[in-house]
Amino acid sequence: MRLFQPTTGVKIRLIVLLMAGVALLAIDRRYDHLGAARDFIAKGIYPLQLAVQVPSQFVATSAEFVQDQLALMRHADTLKHENLRLRARLQRSQSLENENTRLRTLLRSSARLSQKVQISELLGMDMDPFRQRLRIDKGEGNGVFVGQPVLDAHGVMGQVISTSSDAAHVLLISDPSHVIPVEILRNGLRTVAAGIGRADTLQLRYLPDHSDIKVGDELMSSGLGGRFPSDYPVAVVTEIHKIPGAPFLEVYARPRALLDRAREILLVWDEAATTGEFAAADPG
Amino acid sequence: MLHIRNVWVIPTSLLVALMLMITPMPAWAIPFRPDWVALVIIYWSIALPKNFGVGTAFGIGILADVATDTLLGQHALAYTAMSYIALLEHQRLRVAPAIQQAFIAALLLLVHRVILLLISGLVGQHPHSYSLYFAPVLISAALWPWAFSLLRALRRRYRMT
């Protein structure tokens, strides 16, 4: 007794779909033609993405709501103090920046202009050993562009890899396919920090075994490659292994940014980079 | 395709599963997230093989690809293949005891996961550790009996036969 057997119709449909799937994969991998289609579908499922935010946001808001008055006042107090401290530091850095601009004009090199930042909130994240990515709630409509650097309050987080009209995907520096050029704050030694698929670890590649590097060294973005602004904290060296016979050290570092905990992130518009391009295009 | 009542229950359940797939979770829990969409696809494949086909599995796969920003076609291929096997075996699966069903569901989920892994591998994304990569297979299979009874209750409630 056979109630159902795969009719040729089902088989043909299967084969057509499998071929369509493979074709989609190939096109999506090689070309950009599917961006519009992806954007269209993304707009359709955007309400779903917003809806799934509701429970966790509700928990967060109600947790804030039920905090007692005293705790809130204490919280406000610490924030006031911190604000004061930061303002004092800002004044100092303002004068340093002025001095820096003056010296740079003296040296006739391009001045670094101020950077515009915008706060964005996380829509979701995707942290498995393959992919370390975030979804954020700002997109093309807010001026977000592919390749834009993303920071949190502690350091560099990653870069934007795709945008739709009101959301964007961010590739974190811990993604196995991501590498960021860095330099050691102490001595300016340049290297690259690659992600290995874990939010708490980066690997420093191609450091010869006599390199001057210590546990605790601060790694700053070097700005080489032109993707990330220079001199932002990236990571701290945590482990150094010398492997006998191997030409390179095995060095690990812990990212400064709270890659798996941050809720608000900063998008940076590096105006120096754009004016730099203009300057390069027009030497006169 | 036969005409049945309340056919909207199928796409709705798939969309709810898709929402669970992208619900924010604490970072430590994410590697263990069950594959809800796969469970729902397996259920409808064996329960209503005449109304649920590889095409629907492909469509929800495309949505999953956009929602999780994977290559277009990655989830679609994996779900299509998984759904086809479930459709072939739906008679045996439907009458099997729960434990046996869960076991076969695990095999189907494994097929799905391996296809995802192969495609990721082909485009050069290798996982740093494989130990956790197959955790969702076991967790989803363990949840199968509950998913099954929930969806069956839905199907009976809306008298979809």
Side-chain angles (χ1 to χ4, degrees), chain A residues 189-261:
Chain A
L189 180 68
R190 281 189 294 274
T191 173
V192 292
I196 56 173
R198 290 175 47 186
D200 58 350
T201 317
L202 301 178
Q203 188 178 18
L204 302 187
R205 301 243 173 100
Y206 318 123
L207 278 169
D209 57 3
H210 55 266
S211 306
D212 178 15
I213 184 167
K214 294 181 203 154
V215 169
D217 273 345
E218 283 281 352
L219 300 166
M220 314 296 276
S221 57
S222 66
L224 295 179
R227 178 68 39 115
F228 290 98
S230 58
D231 300 324
Y232 276 100
V234 175
V236 191
V237 175
T238 49
E239 282 175 58
I240 300 176
H241 302 294
K242 263 198 176 117
I243 297 164
F248 299 118
L249 290 173
E250 201 179 299
V251 184
Y252 293 102
R254 179 169 42 78
R256 273 284 182 202
L258 304 173
L259 297 181
D260 51 354
R261 271 161 289 168

Side-chain angles (χ1 to χ4, degrees), chain B residues 29-92:
Chain B
I30 285 179
F32 304 102
R33 187 202 295 271
D35 196 333
W36 300 106
V37 178
L39 288 176
V40 175
I41 288 178
I42 296 176
Y43 179 77
W44 292 121
S45 303
I46 63 174
L48 295 171
K50 294 202 168 71
N51 300 90
F52 183 92
V54 282
T56 319
F58 189 87
I60 194 76
I62 292 286
L63 292 189
D65 283 325
V66 175
T68 60
D69 201 37
T70 43
L71 279 179
L72 272 185
Q74 188 167 357
H75 282 95
L77 275 179
Y79 286 143
T80 307
M82 192 188 73
S83 155
Y84 183 70
I85 303 173
L87 284 171
L88 284 188
E89 294 297 318
H90 79 274
Q91 289 178 53
R92 235 166 294 179

